[in-house]
Amino acid sequence: MSSLSFPPPLRLRASPSAPVPANWGKHAARTSVVEALGGDGGCGGSGMEQLRQGKASGSSGSASPPILQEKPVMLNIGKSTNILWHDCPIGQPERQKLLGQKGCVIWITGLSGSGKSTVACALSRELHCRGYHTYVLDGDNLRHGLNRDLSFKAEDRTENIRRVGEVAKLFADAGTICIASLISPYRRDRDACRALLPDSKFIEVFMDLPLELCEARDPKGLYKLARTGKIKGFTGVDDPYESPVNSEIVITMEDGECPSPKAMAMQVLFYLEKNGYLQA
């Protein structure tokens, strides 16, 4: 087999540097490292560090040294460190205008068996049939996924409500009418959720029905298990329920009878209409 021959490698010669014009500093354009996301079409930008080269000063012809502007303020929140909030040009007002409604959280609280989930679904249906965008956050449903790692101990109940409050806040910010139905037995936890939503966007609905009625219903059979000691820490039996003191809406029995699901839903819907939540 004949041997292969290769051409010798090329030798590259570095070309001499081009001379820098003497008046470069005087006419240099002001530049920015990060500006692509600014202006009308981008998101945020205010939290990003920008490196700018200033204009030349005086007549000396020398450029000003680079300066740092708009350095981000990093935050430590809880166990999260060095985090930054980014704003986008499309916010809640724009989303509400698009949907023709105001984002808010309707927080339905009460004993097990008081009808929270029933009212939540009835209200969602009434609003949906009128063309409004809603979403229901049901306590049991959320424990199938988001909160499946939490028990019913006091500290886990608090974390359960905190998580749901934060999720509900996002729905409200999206312009959605978010309907949360949870026992949420502790007043401080409900108040913490209220504090997440300023400007009266948190609407508390208290299902003020007597324990005897709820226990007689016992749709899940939980009261019976609690009374026989098979489950512990059950609200209304061996764990307290702290009734709200400042609810926007209170649903009670009328003439010894519980209102129908539609009647209770309409009570909430009338409140929304009266207070302007069903318009942008």
Side-chain angles (χ1 to χ4, degrees):
M1 181 181 295
S2 59
S3 61
L4 298 177
S5 60
F6 296 92
L10 295 176
R11 296 181 178 275
L12 301 179
R13 180 184 300 174
S15 58
S17 301
V20 178
N23 61 348
W24 175 84
K26 185 178 296 184
H27 299 288
R30 192 175 184 214
T31 62
S32 174
V33 173
V34 184
E35 288 191 1
L37 296 179
D40 295 333
C43 290
S46 62
M48 303 185 70
E49 183 173 320
Q50 296 183 347
L51 179 63
R52 298 183 182 275
Q53 179 177 325
K55 294 181 180 180
S57 59
S59 58
S60 61
S62 60
S64 300
I67 58 174
L68 293 177
Q69 294 183 349
E70 301 181 22
K71 186 174 181 179
V73 178
M74 309 303 288
L75 300 174
N76 298 331
I77 300 178
K79 295 181 180 180
S80 298
T81 59
N82 299 315
I83 58 176
L84 183 67
W85 183 271
H86 290 276
D87 284 317
C88 287
I90 302 300
Q92 187 188 53
E94 291 77 17
R95 293 187 283 268
Q96 292 182 150
K97 184 177 180 180
L98 183 67
L99 294 171
Q101 63 186 48
K102 288 185 174 67
C104 62
V105 173
I106 301 169
W107 192 279
I108 306 176
T109 176
L111 292 170
S112 177
S114 61
K116 300 179 299 300
S117 297
T118 301
V119 173
C121 291
L123 176 60
S124 180
R125 180 180 178 82
E126 293 294 332
L127 289 169
H128 178 82
C129 290
R130 289 166 171 75
Y132 297 102
H133 190 256
T134 68
Y135 196 85
V136 175
L137 295 176
D138 181 82
D140 276 9
N141 290 357
L142 291 168
R143 284 183 177 273
H144 281 74
L146 176 66
N147 295 333
R148 66 188 304 171
D149 59 323
L150 300 176
S151 71
F152 288 91
K153 295 180 180 178
E155 59 272 21
D156 279 359
R157 283 179 178 268
T158 294
E159 175 60 13
N160 176 56
I161 299 307
R162 187 196 70 81
R163 292 183 191 180
V164 178
E166 291 287 355
V167 172
K169 175 184 175 182
L170 295 177
F171 272 105
D173 186 59
T176 297
I177 298 173
C178 180
I179 307 168
S181 59
L182 305 97
I183 294 176
S184 43
Y186 306 137
R187 192 176 298 122
R188 67 178 183 276
D189 296 338
R190 298 191 302 267
D191 290 345
C193 291
R194 180 185 291 275
L196 293 173
L197 292 126
D199 304 324
S200 303
K201 292 187 174 71
F202 185 92
I203 304 163
E204 188 174 62
V205 179
F206 175 30
M207 303 293 293
D208 188 12
L209 302 178
L211 173 63
E212 295 76 19
L213 173 64
C214 298
E215 189 167 355
R217 289 175 173 175
D218 202 10
K220 305 173 188 176
L222 298 178
Y223 282 101
K224 183 177 181 180
L225 294 175
R227 293 298 184 187
T228 57
K230 293 182 179 179
I231 58 175
K232 301 293 185 182
F234 189 75
T235 302
V237 177
D238 57 351
D239 200 67
Y241 177 82
E242 299 172 357
S243 299
V245 294
N246 59 348
S247 293
E248 283 74 13
I249 301 170
V250 179
I251 294 178
T252 61
M253 298 181 68
E254 299 176 356
D255 299 324
E257 297 290 333
C258 185
S260 68
K262 182 171 183 177
M264 292 186 285
M266 293 303 297
Q267 184 176 342
V268 181
L269 193 148
F270 289 152
Y271 178 92
L272 296 177
E273 288 181 336
K274 179 181 178 181
N275 289 277
Y277 289 97
L278 303 185
Q279 59 188 22

